[in-house]
Amino acid sequence: MNIQFKKGVLELCVLALLTEKNRYGYDLVNEISKNIQISEGTIYPLLRRLKNVGYVTTYLQESQEGAPRKYYKLTENGLKITGELKNDWFDFVKKVNGLLKGGGKDE
Amino acid sequence: MNIQFKKGVLELCVLALLTEKNRYGYDLVNEISKNIQISEGTIYPLLRRLKNVGYVTTYLQESQEGAPRKYYKLTENGLKITGELKNDWFDFVKKVNGLLKGGGKDE
DNA sequence: TATTAGTATCTTGTATTGCAAGATACTTTG
DNA sequence: CAAAGTATCTTGCAATACAAGATACTAATA
C-alpha cells in the first residue's frame, strides 16, 4: 500500500468512523486496518491533534479486557468539518481521475 | 484544496501526463494546475526524483519563448510503474470510499 | 509469586514530500 | 538598459505516517 496516498486521508477516515459511533483508539486501528493498513503510532498522535483543534472530545471507560479505554466523540464542529472534508475528498478524487484519464486535453 | 491529499498523488499525475507525450516542467505545472493547484517548487524536485529512480529520462530543447526547455520522457520501467501506481490509486480510493460510506460494519 | 499474552495508550526519532520564497537565465518588447 | 513573460532550480519549513519501544492493566498459566 502506497504510504503517500494515506496522507491527510486517514484523518477523514477516523472522523467518518466517529460519525457512526464513539470509538477508542485501538478499535479505530483495527477497523481502519481492515481496509488500509495503519499502525498505532499513527492513530494516537492524530487523535490528540483532533482533540486539540476541538473536533473531538474524550472520556475514559473501564474495560474488562485490559487497560481503560479512551473513547473519542465528535463535537458539533467536528461533524461539520467531517462533512466538508468528505466533499473535498470526493472533489479531489474526481479531479485526479480527470487528469489520469483525459490527460490535459484542451479539445 | 487540502494539501495533504496531494501527497504521493502528484507523482502519479505527472507520470500519467507523461504517458501521453513528453513534456517539460513548466508545462506540467500549468497542465496539472488546471485541476489541482501546484507550484514550481513542487514539480522540479519531484521530476529530479523521478529521473534519479529511472522512471524518466530528459533531453533539452531550445525554445523561441525563453529559456531552453528540459523535456521529460517516460522509460519502459516508468511506464510499467505508472500502470501499477494507477491500479494502487483506484484500489485505494475504493477502500477509502468503503470506509466513508459503510463505516466498519460487521453485520 | 512470576511470567506470559492480549488489550490499550503514548512518545521519540526518522523519512517523505508539498510549498513559499527567491535566485538564475533566456527572449522579446519598449 | 529595463521590464515582462517563459522556464529551471535551490533552500528552508511544515505536515504527517511509521517503526520501535515504553507503559500499564487483566487474565491465564506455571
Side-chain angles (χ1 to χ4, degrees), chain A residues 27-75:
Chain A
D27 180 33
L28 284 165
V29 172
N30 291 328
E31 207 54 65
I32 294 176
S33 284
K34 288 181 189 169
N35 291 291
I36 304 165
Q37 202 206 323
I38 59 163
S39 71
E40 292 143 32
T42 303
I43 274 289
Y44 291 112
L46 195 164
L47 288 171
R48 206 173 325 121
R49 209 160 57 237
L50 293 179
K51 189 179 178 185
N52 286 338
V53 295
Y55 295 174
V56 301
T57 54
T58 60
Y59 57 94
L60 281 174
Q61 197 163 296
E62 284 174 36
S63 162
Q64 274 137 6
E65 294 174 79
R69 295 164 173 168
K70 187 186 278 188
Y71 278 82
Y72 294 82
K73 175 183 159 63
L74 274 185
T75 61

Side-chain angles (χ1 to χ4, degrees), chain B residues 40-97:
Chain B
E40 292 143 29
T42 302
I43 272 291
Y44 291 112
L46 195 164
L47 288 170
R48 207 173 325 121
R49 207 162 56 238
L50 294 179
K51 189 179 180 186
N52 285 338
V53 296
Y55 295 173
V56 301
T57 55
T58 59
Y59 58 93
L60 279 174
Q61 197 164 296
E62 284 174 37
S63 162
Q64 275 137 3
E65 295 174 78
R69 295 165 173 169
K70 186 185 278 187
Y71 278 81
Y72 294 83
K73 174 184 160 64
L74 273 184
T75 61
E76 234 175 275
N77 190 32
L79 188 62
K80 198 185 110 202
I81 295 288
T82 302
E84 291 171 6
L85 257 184
K86 259 194 194 181
N87 287 336
D88 284 353
W89 166 249
F90 291 130
D91 195 43
F92 179 74
V93 169
K94 238 180 256 169
K95 284 174 174 170
V96 170
N97 288 346

Side-chain angles (χ1 to χ4, degrees), chain A residues 85-97, chain B residues 1 5 35-36:
Chain A
L85 257 183
K86 260 194 193 180
N87 286 336
D88 285 354
W89 167 247
F90 290 130
D91 195 45
F92 179 74
V93 169
K94 237 179 255 169
K95 284 173 172 170
V96 170
N97 288 345
Chain B
M1 171 70 63
F5 287 163
N35 291 291
I36 304 166

